Amino acid sequence: MAIIGVKEEHGDSRLTELAKADTIKWYQKPNLRLLYLILIPYFDNPTKGRLGLLNAMYSLGSLCAIPFIPTISLYLGRRRTILLASVIMSMGAGLQAGARNSDMFLASRWVLGFGIPFAIVNASSLIGELSYGNERPIMTSLFKASWNVGAIVAAGTTYGTFQMKSTWAWRLPSLLQLVPSFFQIAFMPFCPESPRWLISKDRGDEAFAILNKYHSEGIGGEEFVRLEYAQIQSTIAQEKQLASRFVWADVIRDAPMRKRFTIAAIMGFFTQWSGNGLLSFYMKKILALVNITDNRTVQKIILSHTCWGLIYAVPIALIAPRFPRRRMFLLCTIGTAVVYIVWTIASARASIENSSRAAIPVLVFIFVYGPFYNIGWNALAYTYLVELFPFQQRAQGIAVEQLSVSAAVFFNTYINPIALDSIGWKYYIVYCVWIVVEILTVYFFFPETHNRTLEELSFMFEGKEVQEKVQKNVDKVLNMELEEIASP
């Protein structure tokens, strides 16, 4: 299903066919296996926030970082930008752990928020750009799923420290925020740069060496690497011709780009406005609406809910990318809509009858909600964004999604608690209606990107003329490579 009025058209499919023909598993390829192990520290692992202004300062820091991400990413490359982000987040975690007053604490939250988008944009891009075609969708899906590891550590730590009377109740969780950044910095010397970034900087020999090392171990590996290199080189050359001199001008450059950036902004908003914000930050208020108020019980529910998130997130991240994207997004939105409707009815009964009997169905559907949400907005978010944008605009696209995420979270941190206190369970009705809007948006506007290489998707909205031009350049580069091989 195309965006209304525009049929997406995929480019040269030869690389996809070669990848399908390769039956050797990733774990049977020593170099590729090593690459995936090296990439593990760069998977998404953000920290959990607090209520009100603390959450808002974190989001405000992210908002302030967005304008600089594309320029810095293109200048420094994926690896060095991730390193910069890790240093910034380490400074923020150190400031938070050593805060002497509330102003210093708030400043540390802003610094942490400023660093995280640089890491998210470039780590998700790097994973997608380094991974072999057969595993790329799963690797980018696992990127988001790994958030649950950090969430479990955060929930478990706060469960153990919330009873402390000293400042270590919040200093210890603050110090733990240093751990992900430490691993990213420590593993950086072993992580290769994005071949696409290297080619964009006229460092083709280095890019070819990386592709040859990690992508040539399967059936037809040498042919695969030559074609992949030719496609990347030709696609980036065409992207440079179309790109605007001012990096952010690409957002409104032409109709195809406007469509991409609109979808990215919509996705960012949907990932935070599908009802998940209530569970992430205001679980205590939600449980209070069904008369669950004991602090220890609440903490146990939060911790078990977070552990449940890891249990289902990884299997979903492994399964969801194997199916068409639109089908999974529709399953996600329709499933969350049904859950929210039942959840709203149960909460209404609890309020009307003033009993605790409705607490059980509410708890059940709180736990059922997560898998449906994860099928689309968690497992496929970065997979879809990486596929949606060409290399030159990939950083801008994910940055726009992060801008939308931060704006939605900033809005949620003030509106959600006020609405829950003012109208209680009736606020859930707003989400029931909104998720229906999401279903219609996905159905009518989201293009299909499943089972295609990144270069094959680069000009899916630009039409056959541009795609044919790129394919001619690919054939030209391939012929030149074959001539070099044949020459003595």
Side-chain angles (χ1 to χ4, degrees):
M1 178 72 183
I3 291 181
I4 289 178
V6 178
K7 177 77 169 68
E8 67 268 18
E9 296 175 338
H10 303 130
D12 187 352
S13 62
R14 285 177 290 178
L15 199 64
T16 299
E17 297 304 320
L18 281 173
K20 287 180 181 178
D22 181 11
T23 56
I24 299 176
K25 302 298 184 183
W26 65 270
Y27 50 80
Q28 296 174 313
K29 303 173 182 177
N31 289 329
L32 190 63
R33 184 173 65 232
L34 176 62
L35 173 65
Y36 291 162
L37 289 174
I38 291 170
L39 289 175
I40 288 174
Y42 303 100
F43 280 37
D44 194 16
N45 195 16
T47 54
K48 290 178 75 70
R50 295 167 182 261
L51 292 172
L53 187 58
L54 299 184
N55 288 328
M57 286 300 291
Y58 189 86
S59 301
L60 184 60
S62 298
L63 287 168
C64 292
I66 298 299
F68 307 104
I69 292 174
T71 302
I72 291 175
S73 300
L74 287 175
Y75 179 74
L76 293 179
R78 306 299 189 206
R79 292 171 71 251
R80 287 187 291 175
T81 306
I82 294 171
L83 183 61
L84 173 66
S86 299
V87 171
I88 292 172
M89 289 187 290
S90 296
M91 292 170 56
L95 279 171
Q96 184 171 319
R100 310 293 291 269
N101 51 54
S102 59
D103 290 341
M104 189 173 175
F105 193 93
L106 289 173
S108 71
R109 296 295 297 169
W110 185 93
V111 174
L112 280 165
F114 188 84
I116 192 66
F118 286 98
I120 289 175
V121 169
N122 286 277
S124 59
S125 298
L126 182 64
I127 291 169
E129 291 164 5
L130 280 174
S131 299
Y132 186 65
N134 289 341
E135 293 86 40
R136 175 187 52 76
I138 292 174
M139 291 293 289
T140 48
S141 293
L142 286 170
F143 171 79
K144 185 71 173 178
S146 62
W147 177 89
N148 292 278
V149 176
I152 288 173
V153 173
T157 303
T158 52
Y159 177 71
T161 62
F162 85 100
Q163 296 183 82
M164 291 183 178
K165 304 301 180 183
S166 69
T167 57
W168 283 105
W170 55 267
R171 291 190 194 276
L172 186 58
S174 299
L175 280 172
L176 284 176
Q177 294 175 117
L178 286 164
V179 175
S181 296
F182 169 78
F183 277 110
Q184 288 180 347
I185 294 170
F187 275 76
M188 186 57 68
F190 308 102
C191 182
E193 181 55 86
S194 165
R196 289 163 178 82
W197 182 80
L198 291 170
I199 289 173
S200 74
K201 297 300 179 181
D202 298 322
R203 294 163 62 180
D205 291 344
E206 296 174 56
F208 187 86
I210 291 171
L211 293 173
N212 192 51
K213 180 177 181 180
Y214 296 110
H215 291 184
S216 65
E217 297 174 294
I219 296 173
E222 291 185 6
E223 182 184 359
F224 181 92
V225 169
R226 285 198 300 271
L227 180 57
E228 183 179 28
Y229 178 79
Q231 284 192 354
I232 294 172
Q233 192 176 58
S234 302
T235 301
I236 289 178
Q238 182 65 31
E239 289 174 18
K240 285 184 174 180
Q241 289 182 20
L242 298 174
S244 304
R245 292 178 64 86
F246 173 56
V247 67
W248 281 109
D250 284 328
V251 175
I252 56 172
R253 186 184 77 198
D254 52 31
M257 277 300 159
R258 288 195 293 272
K259 290 176 177 64
R260 289 185 176 95
F261 282 103
T262 299
I263 293 171
I266 288 171
M267 282 189 64
F269 198 77
F270 283 4
T271 60
Q272 300 303 316
W273 252 79
S274 297
N276 56 307
L278 293 177
L279 295 175
S280 297
F281 299 119
Y282 305 107
M283 180 75 87
K284 189 172 182 179
K285 289 181 178 292
I286 290 170
L287 296 176
L289 289 175
V290 289
N291 302 311
I292 300 175
T293 55
D294 177 68
N295 268 339
R296 184 171 291 277
T297 302
V298 169
Q299 290 295 326
K300 286 180 179 178
I301 292 171
I302 292 173
L303 179 57
S304 60
H305 182 261
T306 308
C307 293
W308 167 237
L310 181 63
I311 292 171
Y312 64 69
V314 173
I316 287 174
L318 295 173
I319 295 169
R322 302 175 187 274
F323 296 92
R325 311 291 182 248
R326 283 172 41 79
R327 190 183 302 171
M328 292 296 99
F329 280 126
L330 286 171
L331 178 60
C332 160
T333 49
I334 293 171
T336 52
V338 172
V339 168
Y340 247 90
I341 290 169
V342 177
W343 180 359
T344 301
I345 293 170
S347 297
R349 293 295 299 270
S351 176
I352 294 168
E353 297 175 0
N354 194 27
S355 74
S356 300
R357 286 186 300 173
I360 294 175
V362 167
L363 282 175
V364 168
F365 280 95
I366 283 175
F367 279 75
V368 171
Y369 171 87
F372 280 113
Y373 173 86
N374 269 259
I375 288 171
W377 303 132
N378 199 35
L380 293 178
Y382 291 110
T383 300
Y384 196 63
L385 287 167
V386 169
E387 293 171 344
L388 190 63
F389 285 91
F391 168 78
Q392 292 288 129
Q393 290 79 34
R394 191 163 291 135
Q396 290 106 300
I398 301 177
V400 165
E401 187 263 354
Q402 286 293 297
L403 175 66
S404 182
V405 166
S406 298
V409 171
F410 191 82
F411 179 80
N412 278 346
T413 53
Y414 283 105
I415 299 301
N416 281 344
I418 294 172
L420 286 171
D421 288 339
S422 300
I423 59 176
W425 65 267
K426 297 181 183 70
Y427 185 48
Y428 300 155
I429 298 173
V430 174
Y431 283 104
C432 293
V433 175
W434 177 254
I435 295 173
V436 173
V437 174
E438 293 184 359
I439 295 170
L440 296 174
T441 303
V442 169
Y443 184 79
F444 286 109
F445 288 92
F446 278 37
E448 186 55 72
T449 60
H450 174 60
N451 209 18
R452 305 287 176 178
T453 66
L454 297 183
E455 279 61 49
E456 196 175 341
L457 295 166
S458 291
F459 301 108
M460 63 178 169
F461 296 142
E462 277 75 5
K464 282 292 184 184
E465 184 178 345
V466 175
Q467 292 175 2
E468 288 172 0
K469 184 177 179 181
V470 172
Q471 187 163 338
K472 286 179 182 178
N473 288 334
V474 170
D475 294 334
K476 183 178 178 180
V477 173
L478 279 174
N479 289 332
M480 290 174 62
E481 289 177 2
L482 291 173
E483 286 175 6
E484 289 179 5
I485 294 171
S487 61

